[in-house]
Amino acid sequence: MQLVVARIGRAHGIKGEVTVEVRTDEPELRLGPGAVLATEPAATGPLTIETGRVHSGRLLLRFEGVRDRTGAEALRNTLLIAEVDPEELPEDDDEFYDHQLIDLDVVLADGTGIGRITEISHLPSQDLFIVERPDGSEVMIPFVEEIVAEIDLEEQRAVITPPPGLIDESEAVVASSRDEDEEAAAGDADEAPKGDA
């Protein structure tokens, strides 16, 4: 099975390195030196990783045969695709591959259906489930322990305990004290004595 493990970003420096948007929980395994990756568009690859390093929190890769900035820029927005055994599972029981999570039903703890996972968005701070609701709208659910209570692959569902407002905006609670201060200030202004005109 083929999985997208990264997207190539901008060129970095003048020696052929590129920034990479990582789309795998195991970059050291999928994006290590010597890894041969298929690409989308296919005509760009396959690409063999020559070196990799982290710089300012971003992964930088250099591919065999790419020696300058021009060559690196030509790879921009290319998807890197790894061949993965569909039976292979992550070492940690609390980790999942994207293909295991796509199409899971998302339900509340009481069984109320929310929708199904159509995409996993890997952001620098956390991963997000993109969930399509029955009406066709989408909701983004952070894939964090406080919200995603259980992933049940046998039942093909993700059980969530969302905070108020995450699923239904009408339940949102304003938690900002600044808003309260502004309301109080507006109330004081209404009560201020009015001078003669």
Side-chain angles (χ1 to χ4, degrees), residues 55-186:
H55 175 74
S56 298
R58 294 201 67 127
L59 179 61
L60 302 179
L61 297 179
R62 181 181 299 132
F63 300 98
E64 289 181 6
V66 180
R67 291 283 171 257
D68 58 25
R69 187 174 185 88
T70 303
E73 276 296 338
L75 298 175
R76 192 170 189 168
N77 292 323
T78 298
L79 297 177
L80 299 176
I81 302 167
E83 190 66 40
V84 177
D85 180 347
E87 301 301 314
E88 180 183 326
L89 298 175
E91 292 177 9
D92 190 335
D93 290 340
D94 291 334
E95 291 183 0
F96 302 92
Y97 291 134
D98 286 5
H99 72 272
Q100 294 175 292
L101 301 171
I102 299 292
D103 285 333
L104 290 187
D105 291 321
V106 177
V107 299
L108 298 177
D110 66 5
T112 303
I114 300 301
R116 71 180 180 82
I117 300 171
T118 57
E119 183 183 342
I120 313 295
S121 180
H122 300 281
L123 303 178
S125 58
Q126 66 189 12
D127 294 337
L128 290 175
F129 290 160
I130 309 301
V131 177
E132 184 177 316
R133 301 168 104 163
D135 65 5
S137 65
E138 289 185 337
V139 62
M140 293 183 281
I141 299 176
F143 186 19
V144 294
E145 193 175 341
E146 297 80 18
I147 297 173
V148 180
E150 179 187 6
I151 299 290
D152 188 336
L153 295 179
E154 285 186 18
E155 295 291 324
Q156 286 290 289
R157 66 183 193 156
V159 180
I160 64 169
T161 54
L166 182 65
I167 303 300
D168 184 352
E169 291 180 10
S170 67
E171 296 175 357
V173 176
V174 176
S176 171
S177 60
R178 191 179 91 197
D179 292 342
E180 293 170 9
D181 292 344
E182 287 174 2
E183 286 175 20

